[in-house]
């Protein structure tokens, strides 16, 4: 199983890996080390390995990049098929997230002006370069077609150089490639294996619709490069799964897929939570507030398009209300450079609490201490077409929800009655929605008593879809599985998966 991040912050990846191992598959999950050091741990009976990515090609010589580009041929035809964590670190993260002193990110006096000047100069430089960037992008797309990604985003070559040799060494029977960056790594490994007379089945798990994304980098190259890369390697996938019905239809149309992708919702795995009581993480303790304090929670990645400024800007109109931002990194430039300074200027900084992630299996219990869950995302296509992870987590925590008017979530909330909808980016309308749910929370929580509402939003149901996909691709393949201590597992037979 392949993912381009550090694993611990990605609940979908962790759920898929653990569930596959629980179902009897021999799972090795390869992720990217964020500290430059190799790491290894176990997630249930799934082995997790984080790989360092040294010497990024984006900063290396043109000669070295040219050499590696030649080692990764364009759209190679697949040869004919042969005839036949660290657990201690996780505990430390949880302890740090719930410690009373861990609630707020540090504020560095005097740092904001220097950072602001640097960012201003960088913005000017990018604007000056933008026309050349557009011209260069169009040139390489015209000259090399979908193969232009090799020149437009050399970072994709870094993933190949880091992951490719490890995948080849593992010799998997099936590769589950999460999202667009790992699709190419998995496809190329499949081609190399076929050249050696081995067959690898490739499952592409598409988390996003690239044409509907806000680019991760502020340049003209990044998004065309990712789309070209995805177009080149999508035909190599033996099966595609994704996160919503609408995205399944878009992917099939975009890539001419022979069948509609299976839909695996980002529902929480509450059955993976090992703690019955007593040691549950404490959201209110992390924020330093008592049970009588109105507490709104946002859980997820901290990015400008997530609309978190709306939550901060509304606080002067919501006296006594506190906000918990359960985010992947309280030190991100957006949090420390935008949200916290804004809270200081509005004199509400004492009511904004930045809290670290907790292990994915404990998220629902952690969030349940809040009075409402907020999803203030802006109107980008990927947000319009799916019920995102935090929506399901809030629902299983039985929280009233306050969501922006992105289509799918807004329609669902209006239909179930589990919360209020506001116009994205409209602070006054957001204040109205928050006041409504805080005034009568029992009314909105009652929506979860509707028979069957939460039953379909469980990970157990989604894991069955993943298992069925694997079994369809490898119906007869069996091999021994080893548990974490190297002894044979209890299942009589299983399959090897990366």
């Amino acid at each position: 199983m392949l993912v381009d991040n550090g694993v611990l912050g990605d609940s979908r990846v962790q759920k898929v890996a653990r569930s596959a191992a629980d179902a009897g598959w021999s799972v090795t999950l390869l992720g990217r080390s964020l500290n430059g050091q190799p790491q290894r741990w176990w997630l249930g009976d799934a082995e997790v390995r984080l790989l360092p990515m040294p010497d990024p090609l984006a900063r290396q010589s043109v000669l070295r990049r040219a050499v590696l580009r030649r080692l990764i041929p364009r759209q190679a035809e697949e040869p004919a098929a042969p005839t036949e964590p660290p657990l201690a670190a996780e505990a430390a993260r949880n302890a740090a997230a719930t410690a009373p002193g861990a609630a707020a990110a540090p504020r560095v006096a005097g740092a904001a002006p220097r950072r602001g000047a640097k960012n201003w100069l960088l913005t000017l430089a990018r604007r000056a370069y933008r026309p050349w960037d557009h011209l260069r992008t169009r040139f390489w797309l015209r000259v090399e077609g979908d193969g232009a990604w090799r020149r437009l985003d050399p970072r994709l070559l870094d993933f190949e150089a880091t992951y490719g040799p490890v995948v080849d060494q593992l010799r998997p029977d099936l590769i589950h490639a999460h999202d667009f960056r790992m699709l190419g790594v998995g496809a190329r490994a499949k081609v190399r294996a076929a050249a050696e007379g081995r067959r690898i089945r490739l499952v592409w798990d598409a988390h996003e619709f690239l044409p509907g994304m806000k680019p991760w980098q502020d340049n003209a190259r990044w998004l065309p490069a990712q789309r070209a890369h995805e177009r080149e390697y999508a035909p190599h996938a033996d099966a595609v799964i994704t996160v919503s019905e609408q995205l399944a239809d878009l992917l099939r149309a975009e890539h001419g897929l022979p069948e509609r992708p299976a839909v695996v919702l980002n529902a929480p795995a509450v059955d993976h939570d090992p703690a019955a009581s007593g040691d549950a993480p404490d959201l209110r303790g992390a924020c330093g507030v008592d049970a009588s304090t109105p507490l709104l929670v946002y859980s997820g990645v901290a990015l400008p398009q997530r609309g978190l400024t709306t939550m901060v800007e509304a606080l002067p109109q919501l006296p006594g209300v506190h906000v918990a931002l359960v985010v992947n990194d309280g030190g991100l430039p957006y949090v420390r450079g935008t949200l916290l300074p804004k809270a200081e200027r509005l004199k509400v900084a004492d009511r904004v609490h930045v809290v670290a992630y907790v292990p994915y299996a404990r998220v629902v219990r952690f969030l349940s201490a809040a009075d409402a869950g907020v999803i203030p995302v802006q109107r980008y296509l990927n947000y319009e077409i799916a019920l995102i992870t935090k929506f399901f987590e809030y629902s299983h925590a039985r929280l009233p929800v306050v969501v922006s008017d992105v289509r799918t979530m807004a329609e669902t909330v209006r239909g179930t009655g589990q919360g209020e909808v506001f116009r994205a980016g409209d602070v006054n309308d957001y204040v109205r929605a928050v006041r409504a749910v805080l005034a009568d929370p029992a009314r909105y929580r009652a929506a979860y008593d509707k028979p069957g509402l939460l039953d379909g939003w469980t990970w157990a149901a989604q894991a069955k879809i993943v298992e069925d996909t694997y079994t369809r691709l490898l119906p007869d393949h069996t091999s021994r599985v080893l548990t974490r201590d190297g002894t044979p597992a209890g299942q009589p037979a299983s399959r090897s998966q990366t």
Side-chain angles (χ1 to χ4, degrees), residues 146-457:
D146 287 342
W149 65 264
R150 293 163 175 80
R151 297 184 181 274
L152 299 177
D153 187 9
R155 184 67 167 167
L156 291 169
L157 301 174
D158 285 323
F159 287 103
E160 174 62 31
T162 299
Y163 286 71
V166 181
V167 175
D168 292 344
Q169 184 181 38
L170 289 170
R171 298 175 65 86
D173 302 295
L174 183 146
I175 294 175
H176 186 134
H178 285 274
D179 228 355
F180 49 93
R181 282 171 161 171
M182 294 294 100
L183 171 62
V185 175
R188 291 185 291 267
K190 174 181 174 179
V191 170
R192 289 192 299 272
E196 297 175 356
R198 293 185 293 112
R199 170 171 284 188
I200 292 178
R201 297 298 192 181
L202 176 62
V203 176
W204 173 30
D205 193 335
H207 300 185
E208 309 275 358
F209 184 58
L210 276 174
M213 283 184 64
K214 179 178 180 179
W216 291 356
Q217 296 179 12
D218 184 18
N219 59 49
R221 308 180 303 279
W222 187 86
L223 188 56
Q226 311 314 308
R227 294 188 65 186
H229 177 265
E230 185 176 278
R231 284 193 300 268
E232 179 170 334
Y233 292 112
H236 289 268
D238 297 292
V240 182
I241 62 178
T242 191
V243 300
S244 75
E245 301 290 345
Q246 296 93 327
L247 183 48
D249 292 334
L250 288 170
L251 288 169
R252 187 174 191 185
E254 175 79 2
H255 295 295
L257 301 176
E259 62 182 19
R260 189 173 185 269
V263 175
V264 177
L265 301 176
N266 283 324
V270 292
D271 57 325
H272 288 184
D273 188 348
S277 62
D279 64 344
D282 180 8
L283 175 62
R284 288 183 177 271
C287 295
V289 300
D290 59 25
S292 64
T293 301
L295 181 63
L296 308 175
V297 67
Y298 167 88
S299 176
V301 176
L303 292 170
Q305 59 265 35
R306 298 298 178 100
L308 302 184
T309 53
T310 300
M311 297 181 71
V312 175
E313 291 171 353
L315 285 176
Q317 300 182 56
L318 297 168
V321 174
H322 286 237
V323 166
L325 302 176
V326 184
V327 298
N328 56 322
D329 183 358
L332 283 174
Y334 175 57
V335 175
R336 297 183 62 183
T338 300
L339 294 181
L340 296 182
K342 182 180 289 289
E344 294 278 6
R345 291 193 298 272
L346 296 173
K347 302 185 185 310
V348 296
D350 59 328
R351 293 191 279 137
V352 177
H353 311 280
V354 181
V355 183
Y357 276 176
V358 299
Y360 80 95
R362 298 179 180 179
V363 168
V364 168
R365 283 192 302 134
F366 188 58
L367 300 178
S368 65
D371 292 293
V374 181
I375 305 177
V377 294
Q378 297 175 7
R379 302 202 64 173
Y380 286 92
L381 179 58
N382 276 319
Y383 299 147
E384 301 275 1
I385 62 177
L387 297 175
I388 59 181
T389 302
K390 63 184 63 61
F391 177 87
F392 296 115
E393 292 170 343
Y394 295 165
S395 298
H396 278 272
R398 301 180 72 88
L399 295 180
V401 296
V402 177
V403 304
S404 60
D405 56 347
V406 288
R407 185 175 70 245
T408 302
M409 281 187 287
E411 290 174 354
T412 301
V413 168
R414 290 182 178 122
T416 62
Q418 67 191 101
E420 290 288 333
V421 178
F422 70 96
R423 290 185 295 276
D426 187 327
V427 174
N428 291 330
D429 199 34
Y430 169 76
V431 169
R432 172 201 59 77
V434 169
R435 287 174 175 166
V437 299
L438 293 182
D440 190 7
R443 168 192 164 195
Y444 299 97
R445 292 181 189 269
Y448 299 117
D449 295 328
K450 180 181 178 181
L453 177 62
L454 295 178
D455 293 343
W457 295 345

Side-chain angles (χ1 to χ4, degrees), residues 29-45:
L29 170 55
L30 301 181
R32 178 166 59 94
S33 174
L34 304 181
N35 64 8
Q37 298 298 317
Q39 298 173 56
R40 179 177 179 268
W41 73 90
W42 292 86
L43 187 64
D45 282 326

